Short mmCIF file of all heavy atoms in Angstrom, two decimals:
data_model
loop_
_atom_site.label_atom_id
_atom_site.label_comp_id
_atom_site.label_asym_id
_atom_site.label_seq_id
_atom_site.Cartn_x
_atom_site.Cartn_y
_atom_site.Cartn_z
N LEU A 1280 10.77 -0.23 -18.49
CA LEU A 1280 9.96 0.26 -17.32
C LEU A 1280 9.73 1.74 -17.46
O LEU A 1280 8.58 2.28 -17.20
CB LEU A 1280 10.71 0.00 -16.03
CG LEU A 1280 10.54 -1.32 -15.24
CD1 LEU A 1280 11.41 -1.31 -14.09
CD2 LEU A 1280 9.09 -1.55 -14.92
N LEU A 1281 10.77 2.52 -17.90
CA LEU A 1281 10.68 3.93 -17.97
C LEU A 1281 9.78 4.39 -19.11
O LEU A 1281 9.24 5.47 -19.07
CB LEU A 1281 12.04 4.57 -18.10
CG LEU A 1281 12.94 4.41 -16.93
CD1 LEU A 1281 14.32 5.00 -17.16
CD2 LEU A 1281 12.32 4.95 -15.64
N SER A 1282 9.53 3.49 -20.09
CA SER A 1282 8.68 3.97 -21.21
C SER A 1282 7.24 3.35 -20.99
O SER A 1282 6.38 3.54 -21.88
CB SER A 1282 9.21 3.58 -22.56
OG SER A 1282 9.37 2.21 -22.60
N LEU A 1283 7.01 2.72 -19.86
CA LEU A 1283 5.70 2.11 -19.61
C LEU A 1283 4.62 3.19 -19.41
O LEU A 1283 4.81 4.15 -18.68
CB LEU A 1283 5.82 1.29 -18.38
CG LEU A 1283 4.84 0.19 -18.12
CD1 LEU A 1283 4.82 -0.84 -19.26
CD2 LEU A 1283 5.06 -0.48 -16.79
N ASP A 1284 3.48 3.00 -20.00
CA ASP A 1284 2.32 3.90 -19.79
C ASP A 1284 1.54 3.30 -18.58
O ASP A 1284 0.71 2.41 -18.77
CB ASP A 1284 1.43 3.98 -21.05
CG ASP A 1284 0.26 4.89 -20.81
OD1 ASP A 1284 0.08 5.39 -19.69
OD2 ASP A 1284 -0.55 4.99 -21.77
N ILE A 1285 1.92 3.77 -17.40
CA ILE A 1285 1.35 3.18 -16.18
C ILE A 1285 -0.19 3.39 -16.05
O ILE A 1285 -0.88 2.50 -15.54
CB ILE A 1285 2.13 3.70 -14.91
CG1 ILE A 1285 2.07 2.63 -13.78
CG2 ILE A 1285 1.78 5.03 -14.50
CD1 ILE A 1285 2.96 1.51 -13.80
N MET A 1286 -0.63 4.51 -16.61
CA MET A 1286 -2.06 4.78 -16.52
C MET A 1286 -2.87 3.72 -17.33
O MET A 1286 -3.90 3.27 -16.91
CB MET A 1286 -2.38 6.16 -17.09
CG MET A 1286 -2.29 7.27 -16.07
SD MET A 1286 -2.98 6.89 -14.41
CE MET A 1286 -4.73 6.94 -14.83
N SER A 1287 -2.26 3.32 -18.49
CA SER A 1287 -3.07 2.31 -19.25
C SER A 1287 -2.94 0.92 -18.58
O SER A 1287 -3.78 0.08 -18.88
CB SER A 1287 -2.52 2.22 -20.67
OG SER A 1287 -1.26 1.69 -20.69
N CYS A 1288 -2.02 0.74 -17.68
CA CYS A 1288 -2.01 -0.46 -16.89
C CYS A 1288 -3.08 -0.39 -15.73
O CYS A 1288 -3.75 -1.33 -15.38
CB CYS A 1288 -0.67 -0.70 -16.19
SG CYS A 1288 0.67 -0.88 -17.29
N ARG A 1289 -3.21 0.78 -15.22
CA ARG A 1289 -4.06 1.06 -14.08
C ARG A 1289 -5.54 0.88 -14.42
O ARG A 1289 -6.37 0.38 -13.60
CB ARG A 1289 -3.86 2.46 -13.48
CG ARG A 1289 -2.73 2.53 -12.50
CD ARG A 1289 -2.79 3.76 -11.68
NE ARG A 1289 -1.70 3.75 -10.71
CZ ARG A 1289 -1.70 3.13 -9.54
NH1 ARG A 1289 -2.75 2.44 -9.21
NH2 ARG A 1289 -0.70 3.11 -8.78
N LEU A 1290 -5.89 1.40 -15.58
CA LEU A 1290 -7.33 1.48 -15.89
C LEU A 1290 -8.09 0.13 -15.81
O LEU A 1290 -9.09 0.08 -15.06
CB LEU A 1290 -7.60 2.13 -17.27
CG LEU A 1290 -7.32 3.64 -17.28
CD1 LEU A 1290 -7.42 4.18 -18.73
CD2 LEU A 1290 -8.34 4.41 -16.40
N PRO A 1291 -7.62 -0.90 -16.52
CA PRO A 1291 -8.38 -2.15 -16.37
C PRO A 1291 -8.30 -2.78 -14.96
O PRO A 1291 -9.29 -3.39 -14.53
CB PRO A 1291 -7.63 -3.15 -17.43
CG PRO A 1291 -6.32 -2.49 -17.70
CD PRO A 1291 -6.48 -1.00 -17.42
N VAL A 1292 -7.20 -2.52 -14.30
CA VAL A 1292 -7.07 -3.03 -12.94
C VAL A 1292 -8.11 -2.33 -12.02
O VAL A 1292 -8.83 -2.97 -11.25
CB VAL A 1292 -5.63 -2.79 -12.42
CG1 VAL A 1292 -5.52 -3.14 -10.90
CG2 VAL A 1292 -4.65 -3.61 -13.22
N ASN A 1293 -8.20 -1.01 -12.14
CA ASN A 1293 -9.10 -0.27 -11.31
C ASN A 1293 -10.53 -0.73 -11.55
O ASN A 1293 -11.30 -0.91 -10.57
CB ASN A 1293 -9.06 1.25 -11.60
CG ASN A 1293 -7.87 1.82 -10.99
OD1 ASN A 1293 -7.11 1.23 -10.12
ND2 ASN A 1293 -7.47 3.07 -11.44
N GLU A 1294 -10.90 -1.00 -12.74
CA GLU A 1294 -12.27 -1.49 -13.08
C GLU A 1294 -12.53 -2.79 -12.36
O GLU A 1294 -13.60 -2.98 -11.81
CB GLU A 1294 -12.48 -1.65 -14.53
CG GLU A 1294 -12.81 -0.28 -15.28
CD GLU A 1294 -12.96 -0.48 -16.77
OE1 GLU A 1294 -13.21 -1.58 -17.22
OE2 GLU A 1294 -12.68 0.54 -17.45
N LEU A 1295 -11.57 -3.73 -12.39
CA LEU A 1295 -11.76 -4.98 -11.77
C LEU A 1295 -11.80 -4.95 -10.22
O LEU A 1295 -12.53 -5.60 -9.64
CB LEU A 1295 -10.67 -5.97 -12.20
CG LEU A 1295 -10.63 -6.32 -13.71
CD1 LEU A 1295 -9.41 -7.15 -14.04
CD2 LEU A 1295 -11.88 -7.06 -14.16
N LEU A 1296 -10.96 -4.00 -9.73
CA LEU A 1296 -10.96 -3.85 -8.25
C LEU A 1296 -12.34 -3.26 -7.78
O LEU A 1296 -12.91 -3.70 -6.77
CB LEU A 1296 -9.83 -2.92 -7.78
CG LEU A 1296 -8.40 -3.38 -8.11
CD1 LEU A 1296 -7.43 -2.38 -7.55
CD2 LEU A 1296 -8.15 -4.77 -7.50
N LEU A 1297 -12.84 -2.38 -8.59
CA LEU A 1297 -14.16 -1.77 -8.29
C LEU A 1297 -15.25 -2.85 -8.32
O LEU A 1297 -16.11 -2.95 -7.38
CB LEU A 1297 -14.45 -0.66 -9.27
CG LEU A 1297 -15.62 0.26 -9.02
CD1 LEU A 1297 -15.55 0.84 -7.60
CD2 LEU A 1297 -15.70 1.34 -10.09
N GLU A 1298 -15.18 -3.66 -9.33
CA GLU A 1298 -16.18 -4.72 -9.48
C GLU A 1298 -16.08 -5.72 -8.30
O GLU A 1298 -17.10 -6.10 -7.70
CB GLU A 1298 -15.94 -5.49 -10.83
CG GLU A 1298 -17.11 -6.30 -11.26
CD GLU A 1298 -16.81 -7.04 -12.60
OE1 GLU A 1298 -16.03 -6.44 -13.41
OE2 GLU A 1298 -17.30 -8.15 -12.82
N THR A 1299 -14.86 -6.02 -7.91
CA THR A 1299 -14.65 -6.87 -6.72
C THR A 1299 -15.24 -6.31 -5.47
O THR A 1299 -15.94 -6.91 -4.72
CB THR A 1299 -13.17 -7.17 -6.48
OG1 THR A 1299 -12.50 -7.62 -7.72
CG2 THR A 1299 -12.88 -8.11 -5.37
N SER A 1300 -15.01 -4.99 -5.29
CA SER A 1300 -15.46 -4.31 -4.12
C SER A 1300 -16.95 -4.33 -4.10
O SER A 1300 -17.62 -4.63 -3.05
CB SER A 1300 -14.92 -2.87 -4.14
OG SER A 1300 -15.53 -2.06 -3.16
N GLU A 1301 -17.62 -3.95 -5.16
CA GLU A 1301 -19.07 -3.92 -5.19
C GLU A 1301 -19.67 -5.25 -4.85
O GLU A 1301 -20.58 -5.39 -4.10
CB GLU A 1301 -19.60 -3.43 -6.58
CG GLU A 1301 -19.32 -2.00 -6.90
CD GLU A 1301 -20.03 -0.99 -5.92
OE1 GLU A 1301 -21.01 -1.34 -5.32
OE2 GLU A 1301 -19.45 0.12 -5.70
N TYR A 1302 -19.11 -6.28 -5.44
CA TYR A 1302 -19.60 -7.68 -5.25
C TYR A 1302 -19.46 -8.10 -3.86
O TYR A 1302 -20.37 -8.59 -3.19
CB TYR A 1302 -18.91 -8.59 -6.26
CG TYR A 1302 -19.42 -9.96 -6.18
CD1 TYR A 1302 -20.71 -10.33 -6.58
CD2 TYR A 1302 -18.71 -10.98 -5.55
CE1 TYR A 1302 -21.14 -11.67 -6.47
CE2 TYR A 1302 -19.10 -12.26 -5.34
CZ TYR A 1302 -20.33 -12.58 -5.84
OH TYR A 1302 -20.80 -13.90 -5.70
#
Side-chain angles (χ1 to χ4, degrees):
L1280 270 179
L1281 294 180
S1282 59
L1283 198 63
D1284 178 1
I1285 203 82
M1286 274 317 288
S1287 71
C1288 300
R1289 274 197 179 279
L1290 286 173
V1292 173
N1293 285 347
E1294 277 175 28
L1295 295 175
L1296 298 181
L1297 188 54
E1298 196 178 331
T1299 306
S1300 168
E1301 290 298 333
Y1302 180 74

